[in-house]
Amino acid sequence: MNKYSVLLMAIGVISLTACDSGPDSPRGFSLPEGDAVKGEQVLVKHQCLACHTLEGVSVETIEPELQLRVQLGGEATKVTTYAELVTSIINPSHKIAKGYMLDAITDSGMSKMRNYNDVMTVTELVDLVTYLQSKYKVKPYEYTPYGRYY
Ligand code: HEC
C-alpha cells in the first residue's frame, strides 16, 4: 500500500467520524504516537508559519501568505479535541476558525489553508500532530498502541 492510499484511508476514517455520537462519532480514532521533534521539522518543511503563528516560534524570516496569521495552539482557537486537530490539517474547511472569517476563507467559503493531503506523508502527519498537540489545550486521548496481535 503506498502512502497515498494510507492517507486516503485516514481521510475516510475521519470523514466517517465527523459527528459527536453514533457510527459517525470520532470516538476511538487516534493516530499512533509520533515524534514531536520531527513534527517541528514538518511544520517548517511545509511552511505552515506562512499563515500561522505559534507561541515560541519566530515567523520573522517567513514570507507571510495571509494578512492576519492564524494562531496555532493556546486556548483561543476552535481546536479543543484531538480529532479536531487532525481534521483541521487534513480537512481544513470542515470548521473555520473563529475570528478569522474574512481573511481565512475564499469567496466560495472554503478555507484558504493549503491542502496537504497529497504532499504530506502519514508519518509526517503523525509527528506533526504529536508536536502540535503539546501546544493546544486539547482533551487527552489514548494513543493506538503498537502491540502484538494474538
Ligand atoms: C495558505 C495559508 C495556510 C497554510 C500554508 C497553512 N494553513 Fe492552517 N489554516 C489556515 C487558515 C486560513 C486557517 C483558519 C481557517 C480554518 O480553520 O481553516 C487555518 C487553520 C488551521 C488550524 C486550526 C486552527 C485552530 O486552532 O483553530 C490548524 C490546526 C492548522 N491550520 C494547521 C496547519 C498546519 C499544520 C499547516 C502546515 C502543514 C498549515 N496549517 C498551513 C491557513 C493556512
Side-chain angles (χ1 to χ4, degrees), residues 48-150:
C48 308
L49 298 184
C51 299
H52 289 289
T53 59
L54 187 59
E55 205 187 319
V57 185
S58 165
V59 293
E60 272 165 37
T61 55
I62 303 164
E63 195 69 31
E65 284 186 41
L66 285 183
Q67 273 179 357
L68 186 63
R69 283 181 164 113
V70 177
Q71 179 194 333
L72 292 184
E75 284 170 354
T77 67
K78 73 175 161 59
V79 169
T80 56
T81 68
Y82 174 79
E84 281 174 353
L85 178 56
V86 178
T87 306
S88 294
I89 300 171
I90 67 176
N91 186 9
S93 294
H94 179 67
K95 276 188 190 169
I96 305 292
K98 287 192 207 91
Y100 297 101
M101 291 305 257
L102 288 177
D103 197 36
I105 54 174
T106 62
D107 292 343
S108 57
M110 298 299 279
S111 174
K112 280 187 188 164
M113 181 152 152
R114 202 170 293 143
N115 187 317
Y116 289 96
N117 296 357
D118 290 333
V119 292
M120 190 185 291
T121 67
V122 175
T123 304
E124 284 179 332
L125 177 69
V126 165
D127 291 341
L128 182 59
V129 169
T130 300
Y131 171 65
L132 284 179
Q133 213 205 348
S134 63
K135 308 283 180 181
Y136 278 91
K137 311 273 177 284
V138 300
K139 289 179 192 152
Y141 69 99
E142 299 279 315
Y143 282 115
T144 304
Y146 279 125
R148 282 203 290 144
Y149 290 96
Y150 294 99

Side-chain angles (χ1 to χ4, degrees), residues 1-13 117-118 122:
M1 215 189 293
N2 67 29
K3 65 186 179 194
Y4 295 127
S5 34
V6 173
L7 195 53
L8 278 174
M9 270 172 54
I11 295 159
V13 167
N117 296 357
D118 290 333
V122 175

Side-chain angles (χ1 to χ4, degrees), residues 6-24:
V6 173
L7 195 53
L8 278 174
M9 270 172 54
I11 295 159
V13 167
I14 292 183
S15 50
L16 283 172
T17 55
C19 296
D20 285 345
S21 59
D24 288 347

